[in-house]
Amino acid sequence: YTREYFSEDGRYNILCNSSFGHSVPSIEGEGQSPGREYSGTVSYENGIFRVDMTKAYNISELCSLVRNFSFKENSIVLKDEFRLTRGMDINERFISLIQPEITDGCVKIGGIEFSYDTAQWIVSLRIKKHTDHFLNVLDVYCIDLTARADYAVFETEFKICG
């Protein structure tokens, strides 16, 4: 750990501490806010694991953001549901320490792959350097899917297979 890790000002500038270092959406370039007051709730019912992330964002135009995981025989379906008061830029980020292979409509990470709708998303890859707790410098692969339009109501699914 470094001094910055424990400082109030620098803690969330470290990739793994901020939401930009996690596989969660951003809205208008804003990630989840730090602090206990910005948290989500989880539930499980009828085979669906649900995470309500609405209160994790300090975005007044965000009415709701719910992530659902449904478990199929050979896959997991991740479904995000956004409700906003106006059309806004939506980005889905997926994080990996393994270099992904990106093709049209599919991202492969090791033996896992997920599919996405090319009509909804533009995909890009960013490589960030991150120093871990043992001072090793790692390449972190940020797979960003940016919605092709600004949406007020938006639902999307990603099918994850192994």
Side-chain angles (χ1 to χ4, degrees), residues 104-115:
D104 201 32
C106 183
V107 176
K108 186 174 182 180
I109 304 169
I112 303 294
E113 63 182 50
F114 72 85
S115 58

Side-chain angles (χ1 to χ4, degrees), residues 107-142:
V107 176
K108 186 174 182 180
I109 304 169
I112 303 294
E113 63 182 50
F114 72 85
S115 58
Y116 63 92
D117 184 347
T118 57
Q120 287 184 323
W121 299 106
I122 299 167
V123 67
S124 63
L125 178 65
R126 291 178 174 81
I127 302 170
K128 299 204 178 251
K129 298 289 185 191
H130 172 69
T131 304
D132 71 10
H133 299 306
F134 302 103
L135 302 180
N136 300 307
V137 178
L138 308 172
D139 285 336
V140 177
Y141 300 94
C142 303

Side-chain angles (χ1 to χ4, degrees), residues 28-46:
E28 290 290 310
E30 294 293 322
Q32 295 176 343
S33 298
R36 289 180 188 251
E37 65 272 25
Y38 299 106
S39 61
T41 58
V42 297
S43 61
Y44 182 79
E45 188 175 330
N46 299 324

Side-chain angles (χ1 to χ4, degrees), residues 9-123:
D9 295 335
R11 179 175 179 83
Y12 294 102
N13 293 328
I14 299 171
L15 183 63
C16 69
N17 294 342
S18 79
S19 68
F20 294 105
H22 293 84
S23 298
V24 295
S26 62
I27 301 167
E28 290 290 310
E30 294 293 322
Q32 295 176 343
S33 298
R36 289 180 188 251
E37 65 272 25
Y38 299 106
S39 61
T41 58
V42 297
S43 61
Y44 182 79
E45 188 175 330
N46 299 324
I48 297 175
F49 179 73
R50 180 176 186 215
V51 182
D52 185 336
M53 296 189 279
T54 309
K55 293 182 179 177
Y57 294 82
N58 187 20
I59 299 173
S60 61
E61 297 91 347
L62 178 61
C63 301
S64 70
L65 172 49
V66 176
R67 174 166 282 181
N68 295 295
F69 294 93
S70 54
F71 304 92
K72 310 297 181 189
E73 187 173 326
N74 295 312
S75 66
I76 298 171
V77 176
L78 180 156
K79 180 180 181 182
D80 282 346
E81 302 168 351
F82 298 82
R83 302 287 181 269
L84 304 144
T85 60
R86 64 179 178 86
M88 299 180 84
D89 176 58
I90 295 171
N91 187 77
E92 294 274 10
R93 172 168 279 184
F94 295 93
I95 298 290
S96 175
L97 294 176
I98 300 169
Q99 184 170 1
E101 296 174 38
I102 299 173
T103 58
D104 201 32
C106 183
V107 176
K108 186 174 182 180
I109 304 169
I112 303 294
E113 63 182 50
F114 72 85
S115 58
Y116 63 92
D117 184 347
T118 57
Q120 287 184 323
W121 299 106
I122 299 167
V123 67

